[in-house]
Amino acid sequence: IYTVLMRDISDRRLAETLQSELTRAVAVLGETLEVAATERSIVQLPLGWLGDGAMLDVVTGGDALRRIASRPAEPALATALGRLADLPLNLDSPSRVVDVMRHGQVELVGDVTDEWLEAHTADLDELARFRALGMRSLVMLPLVAREHVLGVLEIFRTTDDRPFSDAEIAAAKELALRAAFALDNARLYETAQQATIARDHALGVVSHDLRNPISAIGM
């Protein structure tokens, strides 16, 4: 009975923590409509309560992908993430992220083994950079908005052998959903801003071209 009671208390505390962090994440994601700032927020938000590090791979057009790395407090991990983010990534890569992006389903790797890393890296250099992260477990979440996959958020643990619980996976999915809509809104806003600038430029050119013959007629 005591064990069951303690487990129940622990589960309730975890649920409260997850809900509190999700509420904070929603608030942070609503602070900006700038694409780059939104991407940086998305990749930082899971740190501490879901994982030790995170990466965000986003579709940039064509078959190219862009990787944004989180900035964990641990200097060695931050450096390793930065080195990994420097590597080019495209849709022909053996990275498991590409498969998640294509099928649009959450994927959990409860035990990140060396064999798993070897199967999903392009060469020895990339393998070495992944090994430097010291990943023990990993969850990959597609960011889906308006039936389109905008990217994949990868959350990983390096210091905790405990697997992601069902409650944590559910929270991660909710975070990914909120992040997808925030990123989609930021991209739509950026597109609208660019359209406004293009319109104003076109109107300026037309106005200038009209003034010339009108001035000649007036003379």
Side-chain angles (χ1 to χ4, degrees):
I1 295 174
Y2 176 78
T3 302
V4 173
L5 179 60
M6 291 303 295
R7 186 184 298 117
D8 182 59
I9 293 173
S10 178
D11 289 346
R12 278 192 281 117
R13 286 178 178 172
L14 175 60
E16 290 171 359
T17 299
L18 294 176
Q19 187 56 52
S20 175
E21 291 293 343
L22 279 172
T23 301
R24 180 183 67 87
V26 171
V28 171
L29 289 172
E31 290 176 355
T32 181
L33 280 172
E34 200 265 322
V35 173
T38 300
E39 292 172 346
R40 289 194 298 269
S41 292
I42 290 171
V43 82
Q44 282 294 117
L45 285 173
L47 269 58
W49 61 290
L50 282 176
D52 301 304
M55 294 177 286
L56 174 64
D57 293 309
V58 294
V59 179
T60 60
D63 66 347
L65 302 175
R66 180 162 48 86
R67 173 165 285 165
I68 302 98
S70 62
R71 297 177 182 175
E74 185 189 349
L77 182 56
T79 299
L81 276 166
R83 293 188 69 245
L84 186 59
D86 288 339
L87 289 177
L89 184 65
N90 58 58
L91 294 177
D92 292 326
S93 167
S95 172
R96 192 63 186 166
V97 167
V98 175
D99 295 320
V100 173
M101 196 168 290
R102 284 175 174 152
H103 59 57
Q105 300 295 321
V106 174
E107 187 162 322
L108 173 66
V109 185
D111 183 18
V112 180
T113 64
D114 209 51
E115 291 76 13
W116 189 89
L117 289 176
E118 289 177 2
H120 298 100
T121 48
D123 51 39
L124 292 177
D125 180 37
E126 185 179 8
L127 176 60
R129 297 190 194 204
F130 263 105
R131 281 173 174 164
L133 298 180
M135 288 195 298
R136 296 186 178 182
S137 56
L138 165 71
V139 60
M140 293 171 279
L141 306 117
L143 303 189
V144 184
R146 294 184 295 141
E147 300 183 353
H148 293 287
V149 178
L150 308 181
V152 176
L153 175 63
E154 303 113 76
I155 306 169
F156 63 89
R157 289 175 173 170
T158 63
T159 58
D160 192 349
D161 289 327
R162 180 178 55 88
F164 287 92
S165 68
D166 291 343
E168 289 169 328
I169 293 296
K173 288 180 179 179
E174 182 65 22
L175 175 62
L177 177 64
R178 302 284 187 167
F181 281 113
L183 182 55
D184 189 46
N185 286 338
R187 288 182 176 184
L188 289 173
Y189 179 74
E190 183 180 79
T191 300
Q193 291 290 93
Q194 292 171 348
T196 299
I197 293 172
R199 181 203 63 191
D200 291 345
H201 176 71
L203 288 175
V205 172
V206 170
S207 176
H208 178 269
D209 290 345
L210 285 175
R211 278 198 299 270
N212 288 336
I214 290 174
S215 297
I217 293 170
M219 291 176 62

